[in-house]
Amino acid sequence: MLTETPSAARPKIWVDADSFPAKARDLLLKTAAGKKLQVLYVANHDIPFSLQNPLFEMRICPQTPGAADDYIADGCTSGDIVATRDIPLAARLVDREIRVINDRGICYDKRTVEKRLKERELSLQMKALGLHKGHTRESYGGKELDAFGKCLHSLLSAMGL
């Protein structure tokens, strides 16, 4: 009789769901449902699923800074995927060889996460000097969603899923 070993376990998809766009969450859920993958939304408040599936779970963390990030970082393993917009969280995970993607189609690796960290630091410095007019919300439309979908499908294909 064959038994499944831990190395053959199916990956989980962790979603840093507080700021992840609804359109990207919906696409991710549809993809995960088709591939029978577990999805864990992590946030400091309830975020409803657009699809109901016993493989989809909501994990609510305390409303303290970094609680959801720490929960994800502590819970995910090297076979998992994390979807986040949070660059420092992405850096923590890439250092542990966790697969990380964002909502705009970036599959992070050491090079891309380092570049994003430098851009973030520069933006924070400019803001501190009064040279930055504050955070502006970038639009999220079809182009960004398409790039996210391609990144997700490419990553899953590379994983043999």
Side-chain angles (χ1 to χ4, degrees):
M1 177 201 270
L2 292 175
T3 58
E4 189 173 293
T5 62
S7 62
R10 299 199 43 89
K12 293 180 180 111
I13 300 175
W14 300 75
V15 182
D16 185 4
D18 280 326
S19 67
F20 216 75
K23 291 176 184 178
R25 290 192 318 256
D26 293 349
L27 176 61
L28 192 145
L29 291 176
K30 289 175 187 170
T31 302
K35 302 216 179 260
K36 296 180 174 57
L37 297 173
Q38 184 177 6
V39 175
L40 301 165
Y41 276 11
V42 182
N44 63 13
H45 60 91
D46 187 42
I47 296 177
F49 292 104
S50 61
L51 295 173
Q52 296 306 310
N53 186 311
L55 292 173
F56 301 164
E57 298 177 37
M58 178 73 225
R59 304 287 171 89
I60 300 175
C61 297
Q63 293 192 3
T64 55
D69 295 353
D70 291 341
Y71 187 89
I72 292 169
D74 292 343
C76 66
T77 65
S78 63
D80 294 341
I81 298 168
V82 175
T84 185
R85 301 179 91 188
D86 186 300
I87 305 300
L89 174 60
R92 285 170 66 184
L93 300 173
V94 166
D95 282 345
R96 292 181 34 216
E97 299 183 3
I98 306 288
R99 294 170 185 94
V100 183
I101 61 176
N102 78 359
D103 62 313
R104 294 178 177 271
I106 295 176
C107 292
Y108 285 110
D109 58 26
K110 287 191 184 283
R111 182 186 56 80
T112 56
V113 83
E114 285 174 12
K115 179 182 178 201
R116 290 297 174 121
L117 280 172
K118 288 177 184 174
E119 290 170 352
R120 180 179 182 271
E121 181 62 29
L122 178 60
S123 179
L124 290 172
Q125 288 175 5
M126 289 177 65
K127 184 176 179 181
L129 293 170
L131 300 173
H132 190 268
K133 296 186 179 183
H135 183 71
T136 57
R137 275 280 176 205
E138 298 176 19
S139 66
Y140 192 84
K143 177 179 143 186
E144 293 79 12
L145 184 62
D146 185 52
F148 171 71
K150 287 178 181 175
C151 176
L152 179 62
H153 288 290
S154 174
L155 180 58
L156 291 171
S157 291
M159 296 171 70
L161 299 171

